Structure formats: structure tokens, C-alpha cells
């Protein structure tokens, strides 16, 4: 299935949306595809997008975990430096 866009239609799109040659070529070639091929392309783009989104989510989780780890390490160092311990305080002799 071949869709022929008139040069004026393409020019209008290029001007209205500030498209470069690559944009124009993508549109022209996409419109030349039959519906099944368009669906295959859209499915592929969707999978790529979702994979990238999932990777971004995982990276954000990793950053938050790393920040939390640093907070815990800093708290532990501050606690150790102040001489406090997790156990009960020793009783003074004669009590």
C-alpha cells in the first residue's frame, strides 16, 4: 500500500512542525508501509520505550538505595564517634 502525499502537504508539515530532512523521510517512509508493517513498527517502538522506562525506574531505585546506604553509614559513624553503643549502659560500681 503506497500513500502518495502531495508536495504541498509535505511542505505544509515541514513548515508547520519545523521538520528536518530526517523527519520528512520518516513520515514519507512510514506512510508507504502497509497497516501490518506499521503495527510491527509501533510494537517495536513501544517495546524499546518500555524497556528504557524500566531501566530508568531501576536506575532511580538504585540511586535511592545508595543514598539510603550512605545515610545509614553516616549515622553509624556518628554513633560510634560519640561513644554510644547499642547495648545497655554499664552500671557504676556501688549501685
Amino acid at each position: 500500500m503506497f500513500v502518495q502525499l502531495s508536495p504541498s502537504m509535505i511542505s505544509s508539515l515541514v513548515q508547520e512542525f519545523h521538520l528536518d530532512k530526517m523527519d520528512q523521510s520518516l513520515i514519507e517512509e512510514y506512510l508507504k508501509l502497509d497497516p501490518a508493517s506499521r503495527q510491527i513498527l509501533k510494537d517495536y517502538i513501544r517495546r524499546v520505550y518500555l524497556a528504557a522506562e524500566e531501566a530508568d525506574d531501576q536506575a532511580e531505585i538504585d540511586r535511592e538505595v545508595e543514598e539510603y546506604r550512605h545515610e545509614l553509614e553516616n549515622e553509624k559513624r556518628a554513633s560510634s564517634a560519640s561513644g554510644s553503643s547499642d547495648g545497655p549502659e554499664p552500671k557504676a560500681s556501688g549501685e
Side-chain angles (χ1 to χ4, degrees):
M1 169 183 228
F2 179 72
V3 176
Q4 180 64 44
L5 288 177
S6 71
S8 64
M9 289 174 71
I10 294 173
S11 293
S12 294
L13 288 171
V14 167
Q15 289 175 354
E16 184 176 345
F17 296 100
H18 309 288
L19 304 177
D20 61 19
K21 285 289 185 188
M22 177 66 133
D23 297 324
Q24 183 177 337
S25 294
L26 285 169
I27 291 168
E28 289 172 345
E29 295 304 315
Y30 179 79
L31 293 175
K32 291 177 188 176
L33 295 172
D34 61 87
S37 295
R38 288 182 193 170
Q39 189 61 50
I40 291 168
L41 178 60
K42 289 186 290 188
D43 291 344
Y44 173 74
I45 291 170
R46 186 176 295 112
R47 283 193 309 273
V48 169
Y49 172 78
L50 291 175
E53 190 175 66
E54 185 177 308
D56 287 346
D57 290 347
Q58 186 60 47
E60 179 64 23
I61 290 169
D62 291 345
R63 280 191 295 276
E64 289 179 20
V65 167
E66 191 60 28
E67 287 175 18
Y68 184 59
R69 173 189 293 280
H70 288 300
E71 287 177 24
L72 291 174
E73 289 171 345
N74 289 338
E75 287 176 13
K76 186 167 183 141
R77 277 193 289 273
S79 175
S80 295
S82 69
S84 65
S85 68
D86 291 336
E89 300 231 355
K91 291 185 178 180
S93 59
E95 285 185 27

